[in-house]
Amino acid sequence: MIKGKWAVALGMVVALFGFSQAQNKDKLDKEFERMLKTSFTNDPTVSWKLEQDEVQKICSRYPSQEAIPAKEVQRVMELSKKTIKYPDWGVYLGNIENGRKLVEGSAGRNVAYGFSDKPGARGGNCYACHNIEPGKVGGNLGPSLVGYGKRWGITKENLNSPETVEKIKIIYSIIYNGWSMYPCSAMPRYGYHGVFGPNEIADIVAFLVHPDSPVNK
């Protein structure tokens, strides 16, 4: 057992080591931020990504989603839900074909990464992470959305029921701001960041869940 002045000395060494480690981390964080800002594009359409909002700051404090305390998870969900805006006339299913175009499009790559998408194109590049329409190649980072409407139990018979409207509202919320349901996930916050407007998200929901959509054939 360490006693007396040796215990005090050891305690001071441990404290100084911890202080030094904290200083080094702070220094590295600032240097990383400086490098990021000086190397990133100045294009105002994407430069906003350098500034973290409150929920991003919460997510960034932890090494993984699993490590986030339950209280913080709840905070992220609550803040994210407050950002969701619905069409002026309420939740509804939009145009299937327009939703399909938005899901297939990948205009975000054109701005941020310089790929060859047509200028002015609109899209979420959703196939990069999901299998969506049968027969089309998709990614596996996110869950498969093939038959998504069927899995929610949405049919032509119950399309206008109060229960289906609530389901549509949930799916709309996931697309508008996925962190309202899946905190700190890789799901882009399309509505929150203005990639899609409320009516466009209603179109995407229609493509994903309507019984007449090729997704559910």
Side-chain angles (χ1 to χ4, degrees):
M1 181 181 293
I2 301 175
K3 296 182 179 180
K5 63 181 181 180
W6 295 110
V8 173
L10 180 60
M12 289 178 66
V13 169
V14 171
L16 286 171
F17 178 77
F19 179 71
S20 176
Q21 290 292 92
Q23 278 190 319
N24 286 337
K25 182 180 183 302
D26 185 56
K27 184 177 180 180
L28 286 172
D29 286 345
K30 288 180 179 178
E31 178 62 15
F32 175 77
E33 185 177 350
R34 183 194 68 78
M35 291 174 61
L36 186 64
K37 288 186 175 180
T38 55
S39 63
F40 201 73
T41 176
N42 290 323
D43 187 330
T45 59
V46 291
S47 59
W48 54 265
K49 294 181 180 181
L50 292 172
E51 301 299 328
Q52 289 193 323
D53 58 29
E54 186 174 350
V55 291
Q56 285 176 312
K57 289 177 181 177
I58 294 174
C59 296
S60 297
R61 291 183 194 136
Y62 306 95
S64 67
Q65 287 176 272
E66 293 73 21
I68 305 174
K71 185 177 180 180
E72 295 279 56
V73 168
Q74 190 64 34
R75 178 67 174 158
V76 170
M77 293 177 70
E78 288 174 355
L79 289 172
S80 298
K81 285 177 181 176
K82 289 180 180 179
T83 71
I84 297 172
K85 298 177 182 178
Y86 299 98
D88 292 338
W89 46 87
V91 178
Y92 75 105
L93 287 177
N95 182 275
I96 295 173
E97 187 54 34
N98 191 47
R100 182 181 193 173
K101 291 176 182 177
L102 293 171
V103 165
E104 289 179 341
S106 48
R109 298 185 310 175
N110 183 52
V111 175
Y113 305 109
F115 291 154
S116 59
D117 299 307
K118 294 180 180 179
R122 300 295 309 283
N125 198 23
C126 303
Y127 280 91
C129 295
H130 299 278
N131 278 307
I132 303 175
E133 189 176 337
K136 287 194 175 184
V137 177
N140 59 8
L141 180 61
S144 172
L145 301 179
V146 174
Y148 196 56
K150 289 181 179 179
R151 281 152 46 192
W152 279 86
I154 297 175
T155 66
K156 288 186 177 181
E157 290 71 28
N158 65 23
L159 200 56
N160 297 312
S161 70
E163 292 81 7
T164 296
V165 172
E166 284 303 308
K167 292 175 182 178
I168 292 170
K169 187 175 181 179
I170 293 170
I171 298 165
Y172 178 100
S173 298
I174 294 172
I175 298 170
Y176 192 100
N177 189 339
W179 289 10
S180 64
M181 300 291 291
Y182 307 105
C184 307
S185 72
M187 177 73 180
R189 297 178 288 169
Y190 288 115
Y192 172 71
H193 282 138
V195 177
F196 298 129
N199 296 332
E200 291 174 316
I201 293 176
D203 291 342
I204 293 171
V205 175
F207 174 63
L208 293 178
V209 307
H210 199 288
D212 291 337
S213 169
V215 174
N216 298 299
K217 296 299 184 182

